[in-house]
Amino acid sequence: MIPDFDENSNLPPEVHFCDWNEFKERFGYNLRRRNLIKGIEEVLTLLKAAKSRTRYLNGSFVTSEPNPQDFDMCWDRDDVEIEYLRKNARLLLNFYNSAAQKARYGGEIYPSDRPVDESTMSIEFFQRDRQQNRKGIIAIDLREWEL
């Protein structure tokens, strides 16, 4: 179960696993959010086909912000068929072109082990807000997700 937001409009600190239906019900409560969910679903479908297991969602999309501009997602590279992504979803491997990713899917998508700076990986970066407060993120286990 996805917990309530804290006083900073964030999820409580930790990785909160949920299934796809729970995610859509909790975060798809208006037209803007439902449109972004379409892009998230497209990315999840591609990553599931590439044998990816877990996806992490972050940013204003997983806060109480009613009209987020986009979503942020990172994914574990473990067991992913990179060749499948090269052939079928090159843009997911082009994480330096966030503008193109946003135009196509509505958000930015990175491997979870991508460095943000000298000492921080994407998955760690995702768990801090702009004021550096710890916050929670959402994880969707794609092994449980039906295409």
Side-chain angles (χ1 to χ4, degrees):
M1 181 172 169
I2 302 169
D4 292 334
F5 298 116
D6 67 16
E7 66 278 359
N8 297 316
S9 299
N10 296 318
L11 294 169
E14 79 176 67
V15 177
H16 303 282
F17 279 84
C18 68
D19 67 32
W20 181 238
N21 288 329
E22 181 184 8
F23 178 81
K24 288 191 309 185
E25 184 177 316
R26 173 69 183 271
F27 296 106
Y29 57 83
N30 65 27
L31 182 59
R32 173 67 183 149
R33 286 174 160 278
R34 285 190 295 276
N35 285 334
L36 287 171
I37 283 175
K38 289 177 188 175
I40 293 169
E41 186 168 26
E42 185 175 356
V43 173
L44 291 177
T45 300
L46 290 165
L47 291 169
K48 169 108 176 160
K51 309 292 190 250
S52 176
R53 289 183 277 178
T54 306
R55 200 70 43 253
Y56 303 95
L57 288 133
N58 173 45
S60 61
F61 193 84
V62 296
T63 70
S64 63
E65 168 59 46
N67 292 301
Q69 294 301 305
D70 61 4
F71 63 86
D72 299 304
M73 181 187 297
C74 67
W75 49 280
D76 286 334
R77 289 189 204 229
D78 297 343
D79 302 323
V80 172
E81 294 177 3
I82 297 297
E83 196 55 39
Y84 176 88
L85 294 177
R86 281 191 187 112
K87 289 180 183 176
N88 300 288
R90 291 189 73 83
L91 194 51
L92 296 184
L93 297 175
N94 190 1
F95 28 87
Y96 296 105
N97 191 349
S98 61
Q101 288 183 339
K102 282 184 181 183
R104 173 74 175 105
Y105 303 112
E108 298 177 56
I109 304 104
Y110 306 99
S112 59
D113 60 352
R114 178 178 176 246
V116 175
D117 59 32
E118 308 80 41
S119 63
T120 310
M121 298 298 178
S122 293
I123 192 70
E124 297 155 350
F125 179 76
F126 270 22
Q127 295 179 71
R128 297 276 178 186
D129 67 16
R130 289 192 170 123
Q131 292 74 39
Q132 295 304 305
N133 298 313
R134 287 187 24 83
K135 66 176 184 159
I137 61 175
I138 293 291
I140 299 174
D141 185 339
L142 295 179
R143 292 173 289 187
E144 304 293 323
W145 191 63
E146 294 297 322
L147 294 174

